[in-house]
Amino acid sequence: MPESTTVQQPSIFKNFLLPSLWIFLVPILSLAFFWHAQTRMDERFREGLLNSINKDVNLDEEQRANARELFNKVPGSKLARVPEFADMFTAEARQTYMQFRWLIRISFWSIVVSILTFLGVGLCVLLSLRSQRIQYYSLLWSWYLLRLVGVFLTIAQGLLLFALTYWVPALWMNVFIPKLLFLAGFIAVVAVLLVLQAFFKRIKMEIDVTGIEIQESMAKPLWLRLRSICTALGIQLPDHILVGIDASFFVTEQSIIANGRKLRGRSLFVSLPLLKQLNGSEADAVLAHEMAHFSGQDTLYSRKISPLLTRYDNYLEALQRGGTTLPVFYFMNCFRALFEVSLKKLSREREFRADTIATQLASPRDFAGALLRIMAYTKYREQVESELFSEQEILEDADICNRIEVGFQDFAHVFASNANIGELATTHPFDSHPPTESRLAKVGIKMEPKETAILLARPGDGAWYHEIDRSSEIERAQWDDFEEGFRKFHEQSLPYRMLPSNDQEKEIVVNAFPMVQFQDKKGAFTIDFEKFSHASWGAPIYFKEVTQCENNDGTLVVRYLRDGIQKQSIKTGGFKKQSAEMLAAFQKYYGRYMTAAQFQTMIASGNSGTSEES
């Protein structure tokens, strides 16, 4: 743990803390400039007024001396606000002084607000490390404060930048640049609108889960075992149990959309493929671990914190897109990163707590077996899906489920001998899990290759899988939907990965990218999956020959390499209404070729590396 902290500290300082200081740039520059502008105006006013006093024959020496003392001591910026002296200034001068005065105030308070926010939210970050409850309230208070501060700083810095755009050229160069002023104002207004939109944006917090709810009548032994675990932990049974084919178990108190139904309350998701691979006692350890998250109020605070983080991230996205709001983005992003450190720290602590409870209600050995078997299954499933997706032909049948079941046990033997197995972590939709070695060490189990091999040597008995009515039917139906979706997505991706070398591959690409034609005054312009041509050209140009292409004021300019560098211009004006369609088609077909070429280069590089290692 100390090593990871050492690695993270410079990263946070360099990547988040330092950029956050940009929040002070515009206010400090504005404060310095407008203070200078006000002082310069004061000096000019004083010089002119003293000259008038010296030349005024109606004043005696005592009156002249008193007047000099007053106007040397009190600047015009202050006198302009005093009613009895206001008539000494023109309306334009009073208005200018008022602008400088407010711009200085805005600059000053922007700096003060930023400093106070740094201190206040920084203290909240430190406090959030203490417990989940304090973490939630610290994040809640910080979110409301930062959201308001973000709006204030966005408006303030927009006004300051707009004012600088006007006054810097006016004061130092005696020029006025309307276009620059309009651009600055437009950017500032857009930035404010984006931030305000994010401020009031409603977010969807329901979780879409692929699975179906099972009632107690469908899995009485499972519900009975859960009731026993919940009684031991002093908590109520989950409101819902869902089963699906995702390779994870999890619990949540957020609303769930499953099979077209919205489920509220506490939900447990159970993976049918994993249940099939686990022994009954290993499944007990997993269920105890998940129920421990309910007992520790982990899911309660996750439900409360998740909306805050989602709103925070949406707000950051708006700030990042705002242009002039980038300093505010870096400022707020710094605290988001610091809170992430706190979130990960407590997330890992609650994982360790749930692990300990799992070993107490089951056994350390069952917990270790479940953890290793789940990781092995996850890795093997990823491998199977990756290998299938890399296939360069249409899949008639993905058959992922059977491929996994047939080859998993052999893979588990190899996985058990993996020297880096202790550094791996299980996947989870909501939490980050500590490395396996750390988790097992916390419950008193030392990872050794021999012990790991023993734990994974025999297939799991799938005891809990078989206690669920129609489990095979439910699982098969979900695998059918998943595999069909996988197959279709694979088929849609094939044209973007192929540079056809045979008729079968050509047919796949041509079906997705058929030849298209556009007519201009000189004839037809044709694009297909590998080349483009015009009736007036001597020969087509192949995408593989293109070195550069761009749309230059309505003309598509293509540079290509063939016996030296040549240039070919396609005047899109002649296509009239089809001009935009032609350009879009060219971009689409050329983009497909470039994607496929990059993919094939990557594949060739990977194959080369593999053969060298062999």
Side-chain angles (χ1 to χ4, degrees), residues 82-199:
V82 180
E84 56 190 285
F85 292 103
D87 292 339
M88 299 172 60
F89 301 88
T90 63
E92 182 181 359
R94 289 197 301 272
Q95 186 181 31
T96 300
Y97 267 131
M98 182 182 69
Q99 288 184 41
F100 290 162
R101 184 164 63 251
W102 276 103
L103 291 169
I104 289 170
R105 287 175 178 172
I106 292 172
S107 303
F108 173 77
W109 282 110
S110 294
I111 296 170
V112 170
V113 167
S114 299
I115 292 174
L116 292 177
T117 303
F118 254 114
L119 296 175
V121 180
L123 178 61
C124 284
V125 172
L126 291 175
L127 292 174
S128 70
L129 296 167
R130 298 178 63 87
S131 71
Q132 290 190 99
R133 183 173 182 273
I134 296 176
Q135 183 182 73
Y136 165 67
Y137 285 108
S138 296
L139 183 58
L140 179 66
W141 184 85
S142 298
W143 159 241
Y144 283 116
L145 174 64
L146 285 168
R147 187 169 63 163
L148 292 172
V149 168
V151 172
F152 167 73
L153 291 178
T154 297
I155 295 173
Q157 297 209 12
L159 286 172
L160 293 174
L161 286 170
F162 180 77
L164 287 170
T165 303
Y166 174 80
W167 279 109
V168 169
L171 191 65
W172 286 350
M173 296 175 282
N174 290 320
V175 296
F176 173 65
I177 310 175
K179 289 184 178 179
L180 184 62
L181 194 64
F182 173 79
L183 180 62
F186 176 77
I187 293 174
V189 170
V190 169
V192 171
L193 291 177
L194 284 172
V195 172
L196 289 176
Q197 181 185 29
F199 190 101

Side-chain angles (χ1 to χ4, degrees), residues 7-260:
V7 172
Q8 289 178 1
Q9 282 178 347
S11 176
I12 289 177
F13 180 77
K14 179 181 178 181
N15 297 329
F16 298 102
L17 283 173
L18 280 181
S20 71
L21 298 179
W22 283 101
I23 196 67
F24 296 106
L25 179 63
V26 172
I28 289 176
L29 290 177
S30 300
L31 182 63
F33 175 80
F34 291 113
W35 189 273
H36 157 74
Q38 180 177 271
T39 302
R40 182 172 171 177
M41 189 171 175
D42 285 340
E43 290 175 353
R44 290 181 177 179
F45 169 76
R46 184 185 301 111
E47 289 174 3
L49 198 59
L50 291 177
N51 286 334
S52 298
I53 291 171
N54 291 333
K55 294 177 181 179
D56 192 344
V57 296
N58 295 321
L59 299 175
D60 56 33
E61 287 302 318
E62 182 179 358
Q63 290 175 324
R64 189 173 285 110
N66 290 336
R68 288 198 196 101
E69 181 181 4
L70 172 65
F71 296 121
N72 276 321
K73 184 182 296 185
V74 184
S77 54
K78 289 187 177 180
L79 291 173
R81 287 184 285 169
V82 180
E84 56 190 285
F85 292 103
D87 292 339
M88 299 172 60
F89 301 88
T90 63
E92 182 181 359
R94 289 197 301 272
Q95 186 181 31
T96 300
Y97 267 131
M98 182 182 69
Q99 288 184 41
F100 290 162
R101 184 164 63 251
W102 276 103
L103 291 169
I104 289 170
R105 287 175 178 172
I106 292 172
S107 303
F108 173 77
W109 282 110
S110 294
I111 296 170
V112 170
V113 167
S114 299
I115 292 174
L116 292 177
T117 303
F118 254 114
L119 296 175
V121 180
L123 178 61
C124 284
V125 172
L126 291 175
L127 292 174
S128 70
L129 296 167
R130 298 178 63 87
S131 71
Q132 290 190 99
R133 183 173 182 273
I134 296 176
Q135 183 182 73
Y136 165 67
Y137 285 108
S138 296
L139 183 58
L140 179 66
W141 184 85
S142 298
W143 159 241
Y144 283 116
L145 174 64
L146 285 168
R147 187 169 63 163
L148 292 172
V149 168
V151 172
F152 167 73
L153 291 178
T154 297
I155 295 173
Q157 297 209 12
L159 286 172
L160 293 174
L161 286 170
F162 180 77
L164 287 170
T165 303
Y166 174 80
W167 279 109
V168 169
L171 191 65
W172 286 350
M173 296 175 282
N174 290 320
V175 296
F176 173 65
I177 310 175
K179 289 184 178 179
L180 184 62
L181 194 64
F182 173 79
L183 180 62
F186 176 77
I187 293 174
V189 170
V190 169
V192 171
L193 291 177
L194 284 172
V195 172
L196 289 176
Q197 181 185 29
F199 190 101
F200 295 106
K201 183 178 180 180
R202 298 185 64 180
I203 59 172
K204 175 187 175 183
M205 287 309 301
E206 293 87 1
I207 305 169
D208 290 317
V209 175
T210 303
I212 67 169
E213 184 177 11
I214 58 170
Q215 305 299 327
E216 186 169 357
S217 59
M218 295 175 62
K220 290 183 179 180
L222 176 62
W223 280 88
L224 185 63
R225 181 58 184 144
L226 275 177
R227 184 173 285 108
S228 174
I229 293 172
C230 291
T231 300
L233 296 176
I235 60 173
Q236 297 294 319
L237 277 166
D239 300 301
H240 313 281
I241 297 180
L242 295 101
V243 295
I245 61 170
D246 288 352
S248 65
F249 296 85
F250 65 84
V251 288
T252 183
E253 290 193 30
Q254 295 188 48
S255 296
I256 283 178
I257 304 295
N259 203 27

Side-chain angles (χ1 to χ4, degrees), residues 16 25 54 77 109 116 158 166 175 179 182 251 285 288 349 359 368 440 450 478 501 528 530 547 553 594 598:
F16 298 102
L25 179 63
N54 291 333
S77 54
W109 282 110
L116 292 177
Y166 174 80
V175 296
K179 289 184 178 179
F182 173 79
V251 288
E349 287 180 359
T359 60
L440 294 181
K450 183 178 180 181
Q478 293 195 34
S501 58
D528 64 28
E530 62 179 351
T547 58
D553 293 331
M594 291 299 294
Q598 291 172 5

Side-chain angles (χ1 to χ4, degrees), residues 497-542:
R497 295 189 280 152
M498 287 181 171
L499 295 178
S501 58
N502 55 52
D503 291 340
Q504 183 182 8
E505 292 181 352
K506 182 177 179 180
E507 182 181 0
I508 291 172
V509 177
V510 170
N511 284 338
F513 289 85
M515 185 183 71
V516 292
Q517 280 191 344
F518 301 91
Q519 196 76 26
D520 67 2
K521 297 177 181 178
K522 296 181 180 180
F525 174 63
T526 305
I527 310 174
D528 64 28
F529 72 94
E530 62 179 351
K531 63 185 182 297
F532 54 102
S533 62
H534 192 275
S536 62
W537 301 351
I541 300 174
Y542 285 81

Side-chain angles (χ1 to χ4, degrees), residues 375-419:
M375 283 196 307
Y377 178 89
T378 303
K379 292 297 177 185
Y380 186 56
R381 177 166 170 172
E382 289 174 357
Q383 178 179 308
V384 169
E385 291 181 5
S386 178
E387 290 174 353
L388 271 174
F389 196 76
S390 65
E391 291 288 335
Q392 295 293 291
E393 58 184 21
I394 293 176
L395 300 174
E396 296 298 332
D397 188 1
D399 201 24
I400 297 172
C401 177
N402 289 332
R403 289 171 188 260
I404 294 174
E405 291 189 9
V406 169
F408 174 69
Q409 199 55 41
D410 290 338
F411 176 84
H413 285 297
V414 177
F415 181 81
S417 62
N418 188 342

